[in-house]
């Protein structure tokens, strides 16, 4: 935990062990730093105090491992590494970037996909199509696991939060009924980073949008130069670790390939900022949805022209971030540009990643894709 008053004039005197007595969300190295930072913190203190009261709600997941992946990691009784290692998925396959010692986006190699394997048994992962169509909109991880017949000890939600957040954003934007009426769904996905090493998980969009051709343009500065323009067709699902599972025969030569016309899910990578690449990407038609996972709008000035562009094209845009406070700051930034409140208020994402972020700058629990709002 970093001192909230760091950089306020004087050097920190030691570890940040003195928590704010009101909100409990921030810490200081000394009373002098707490006093000097008050003119900044008083604007957020009451808001952070309200957010701290939602701790139990943020940590509430239906999984058998929930306590381990939330409270125990927060309190450093466990770590992401130890959690993954216990399940035999540390530093392998799609899981390589799920801990501090894992791969980074800069290691995104020359292969089309770094992995399309869950490294789990077929009982624990959705390596084949669903046994039945979705009867009603999925509203929670419990709904999804029951529908896909996955036991609650399976950790696949740690990666499936990417496509399931896309699914939930479609519902929030009021486009859920549209997917039953159209043959093609166009999504512009802004600022991918870790996802670039986990692209195979987007194959799950086959299951939640059956019969729909889903095209996702992934645009961001983290896309490597040599991958700019790459097109990845996902014909089926990431497969399990078992050599004799029929998912391998169904997926044979079809998990990922280039330029196959019959693909149900197509991803295309574009390096750069959305406002710079938009005209190239949208020559033929506008997207149905813009989504910006873990956006960090308030942290990057480069969002300003992108927000102006989204306002101009008037397309539903859903943003997520690691905590409610980040979404609050982002919504304020967007309001300053658009002079409009969020189209959808800040709300908890039921499909947030069910593993807490380690070493958060606040005492607030942070989760990938934790909160959502829309403009």
């Amino acid at each position: 935990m970093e001192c909230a008053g760091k950089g306020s004039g004087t050097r920190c005197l030691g570890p940040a062990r003195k928590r704010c007595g009101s909100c409990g969300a921030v810490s200081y190295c000394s009373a002098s730093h707490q006093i000097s930072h008050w003119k900044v913190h008083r604007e957020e203190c009451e808001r952070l105090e309200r957010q701290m009261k939602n701790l139990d709600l943020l940590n509430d997941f239906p999984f058998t491992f929930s306590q381990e992946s939330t409270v125990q990691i927060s309190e450093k009784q466990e770590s992401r590494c130890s959690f993954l290692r216990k399940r035999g998925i540390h530093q392998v396959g799609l899981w390589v970037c799920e801990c501090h010692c894992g791969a980074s986006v800069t290691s995104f190699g020359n292969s089309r996909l770094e992995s399309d394997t869950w490294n789990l048994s077929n009982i624990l992962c959705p390596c084949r199509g669903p046994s039945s169509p979705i009867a009603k909109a999925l509203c929670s991880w419990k709904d999804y696991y029951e529908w896909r017949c996955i036991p609650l000890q399976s950790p696949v939600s740690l990666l499936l939060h990417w496509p399931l957040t896309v699914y939930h954003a479609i519902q929030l934007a009021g486009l859920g009924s549209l997917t039953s009426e159209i043959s093609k769904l166009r999504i512009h996905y802004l600022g991918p980073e870790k996802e670039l090493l986990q692209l195979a998980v987007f194959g799950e969009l086959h299951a939640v949008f059956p019969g729909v051709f889903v095209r996702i343009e992934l645009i961001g500065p983290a896309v490597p130069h040599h991958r700019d323009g790459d097109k990845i067709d996902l014909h089926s699902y990431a497969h399990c670790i078992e050599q004799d599972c029929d998912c391998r025969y169904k997926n044979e030569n079809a998990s990922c390939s280039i330029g196959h016309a019959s693909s149900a899910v197509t991803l295309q990578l574009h390096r750069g900022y959305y406002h710079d690449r938009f005209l190239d990407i949208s020559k033929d038609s506008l997207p149905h949805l813009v989504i910006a996972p873990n956006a960090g709008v308030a942290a990057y000035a480069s969002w300003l022209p992108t927000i102006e562009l989204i306002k101009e094209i008037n397309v539903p845009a859903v943003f997520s971030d690691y905590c409610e406070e980040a979404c609050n700051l982002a919504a304020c930034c967007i309001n300053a540009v658009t002079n409009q409140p969020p189209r959808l208020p800040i709300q908890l994402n039921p499909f947030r990643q069910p593993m807490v972020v380690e070493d958060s700058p606040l005492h607030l629990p942070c989760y990938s894709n934790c909160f959502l709002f829309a403009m």
Side-chain angles (χ1 to χ4, degrees):
M1 178 65 62
E2 195 173 79
C3 175
K6 184 179 179 180
S8 59
T10 58
R11 206 169 68 180
C12 284
L13 301 178
R17 292 177 178 151
K18 182 177 178 59
R19 290 173 72 160
C20 173
S22 296
C23 69
V26 298
S27 293
Y28 298 92
C29 66
S30 62
S32 62
H33 266 197
Q34 184 173 10
I35 292 168
S36 64
H37 189 250
W38 175 243
K39 61 181 179 292
V40 175
H41 182 56
R42 66 184 174 188
E43 301 294 331
E44 64 186 10
C45 187
E46 185 177 344
R47 189 170 65 242
L48 291 176
E49 183 180 4
R50 288 197 303 269
Q51 293 173 25
M52 286 291 285
K53 291 177 181 177
N54 293 326
L55 289 181
D56 291 341
L57 179 62
L58 294 182
N59 292 335
D60 184 23
F61 295 100
F63 307 110
T64 59
F65 56 78
S66 296
Q67 184 77 2
E68 185 182 353
S69 66
T70 60
V71 175
Q72 290 181 17
I73 290 180
S74 293
E75 296 178 353
K76 299 190 181 302
Q77 299 168 9
E78 291 284 353
S79 68
R80 281 180 164 248
C81 289
S82 64
F83 179 95
L84 298 171
R85 196 175 291 115
K86 287 178 183 177
R87 290 157 179 83
I89 51 177
H90 183 243
Q91 292 282 278
V92 296
L94 292 164
W95 307 91
V96 293
C97 55
E98 284 304 316
C99 61
H100 287 319
C101 61
S104 65
V105 176
T106 56
S107 64
F108 192 38
N110 292 320
S111 59
R112 290 296 168 181
L113 287 177
E114 293 298 297
S115 174
D116 62 355
T117 306
W118 284 110
N119 284 86
L120 295 166
S121 72
N122 57 13
I123 296 172
L124 295 176
C125 64
C127 61
R128 293 162 290 190
S131 58
S132 62
I134 297 175
K136 61 178 182 177
L138 303 173
C139 297
S140 67
W141 279 122
K142 189 170 186 291
D143 287 350
Y144 171 79
Y145 268 56
E146 288 179 353
W147 170 60
R148 287 299 252 139
C149 302
I150 303 171
L152 290 173
Q153 70 262 31
S154 168
V156 292
S157 53
L158 300 185
L159 303 184
L160 286 172
H161 69 102
W162 299 119
L164 268 293
T165 293
V166 171
Y167 167 81
H168 188 58
I170 291 287
Q171 312 304 315
L172 285 181
L175 300 173
S177 59
L178 181 66
T179 59
S180 62
E181 302 168 4
I182 61 173
S183 60
K184 189 170 185 177
L185 179 63
R186 298 180 300 275
I187 298 169
H188 288 181
Y189 190 110
L190 311 189
E193 293 183 349
K194 187 186 292 187
E195 304 96 301
L196 297 172
L197 297 175
Q198 300 170 335
L199 295 177
V201 301
F202 288 94
E204 188 61 13
L205 295 173
H206 283 290
V208 295
F209 298 126
V212 178
F213 187 102
V214 181
R215 183 177 177 96
I216 304 180
E217 313 287 347
L218 295 101
I219 311 108
V223 173
H225 286 283
H226 67 280
R227 302 304 302 274
D228 187 12
D230 272 11
K231 186 174 168 185
I232 299 129
D233 291 340
L234 302 175
H235 301 286
S236 194
Y237 306 94
H239 54 74
C240 68
I241 201 170
E242 296 175 27
Q243 294 298 319
D244 59 349
C245 180
D246 62 3
C247 72
R248 290 185 175 268
Y249 304 108
K250 290 178 180 178
N251 293 357
E252 188 176 357
N253 299 321
S255 288
C256 54
S257 64
I258 304 305
H260 195 288
S262 64
S263 174
V265 179
T266 294
L267 313 175
Q268 188 154 15
L269 309 182
H270 307 272
R271 179 177 174 82
Y273 294 111
Y274 189 49
H275 49 273
D276 292 327
R277 300 301 306 268
F278 175 76
L279 292 179
D280 293 334
I281 296 165
S282 305
K283 286 178 181 175
D284 300 324
S285 54
L286 291 174
H288 294 101
L289 176 77
V290 174
I291 182 167
N294 298 328
V297 170
Y300 302 100
S302 56
W303 275 109
L304 177 60
T306 289
I307 299 302
E308 292 173 336
L309 171 62
I310 294 172
K311 179 186 178 184
E312 181 182 335
I313 63 176
N314 195 28
V315 167
V318 175
F319 298 80
S320 80
D321 225 312
Y322 289 98
C323 66
E324 185 177 359
E325 181 62 9
C327 281
N328 181 74
L329 296 174
C332 290
C333 291
I334 291 172
N335 177 259
V337 176
T338 64
N339 293 315
Q340 295 174 348
R343 177 180 173 181
L344 288 172
I346 297 167
Q347 54 198 273
L348 189 63
N349 178 13
F351 297 107
R352 63 198 179 278
Q353 186 185 44
M355 181 181 281
V356 72
V357 173
E358 290 178 304
D359 301 322
S360 167
L362 297 173
H363 289 289
L364 287 167
C366 292
Y367 294 93
S368 185
N369 287 321
C370 192
F371 281 86
L372 301 161
F373 70 96
M375 66 170 283

